[in-house]
Amino acid sequence: MIETGIKGKQEITVTPDVTADKAGSGLLPVFSTPAMIALIEKTAWMSIADKVAEGQGSVGTKLDVAHLAATPIGLRVWCETELREVDGRRLVFEAAVYDEKGKIGEGTHERFIIDNEKFMTKVRQKL
């Protein structure tokens, strides 16, 4: 059973492939907002991955994130999430992102528990 209070943590090192100039979100070689969002989503889903039933997963549906400071190539970045709300299949996480110098991002992330096969059946119907 999934209950509030579940925490997650994931870490990466900023490399040229996760920078704004590479992601197309800007021109500078700094940790990109899309990469920060991906790290938040990964941290949240991995924190509950072993708690969902067989054949289930979760999908991200909403983000409200502030990117507070730039991070250069070479620094470590980590995300910490905490599950703050469970409303049926809807999960809301609080996220904070840091580099070696301090907080660089924060926000909330919403996910829904899904049945993987049903979800993919709907996706394939779009074809």
Side-chain angles (χ1 to χ4, degrees):
M1 176 159 195
I2 298 177
E3 296 180 356
T4 60
I6 296 171
K7 294 182 180 183
K9 184 175 180 182
Q10 293 292 313
E11 179 179 311
I12 65 168
T13 298
V14 178
T15 58
D17 59 317
V18 294
T19 57
D21 55 337
K22 188 71 161 188
S25 64
L27 300 175
L28 301 175
V30 295
F31 187 54
S32 72
T33 302
M36 185 179 75
I37 288 169
L39 182 60
I40 291 169
E41 287 208 70
K42 180 180 181 180
T43 306
W45 79 258
M46 288 189 71
S47 74
I48 54 117
D50 64 347
K51 294 168 180 47
V52 298
E54 181 84 22
Q56 289 187 326
S58 69
V59 292
T61 56
K62 186 176 181 180
L63 284 151
D64 182 8
V65 175
H67 197 160
L68 306 171
T71 303
I73 293 171
L75 261 58
R76 289 181 311 113
V77 171
W78 64 93
C79 176
E80 298 174 1
T81 59
E82 183 172 350
L83 182 56
R84 292 299 182 123
E85 183 181 344
V86 178
D87 180 16
R89 297 183 309 121
R90 182 176 158 269
L91 310 174
V92 180
F93 295 85
E94 184 176 297
V97 184
Y98 303 89
D99 68 18
E100 297 170 55
K101 301 298 181 181
K103 184 184 269 190
I104 63 163
E106 62 188 11
T108 59
H109 174 43
E110 179 181 278
R111 300 188 71 77
F112 271 81
I113 301 296
I114 51 106
D115 175 279
N116 293 333
E117 190 52 42
K118 281 184 182 178
F119 184 86
M120 289 310 298
T121 296
K122 285 182 180 180
V123 170
R124 286 189 285 272
Q125 288 173 352
K126 288 186 169 189
L127 295 174

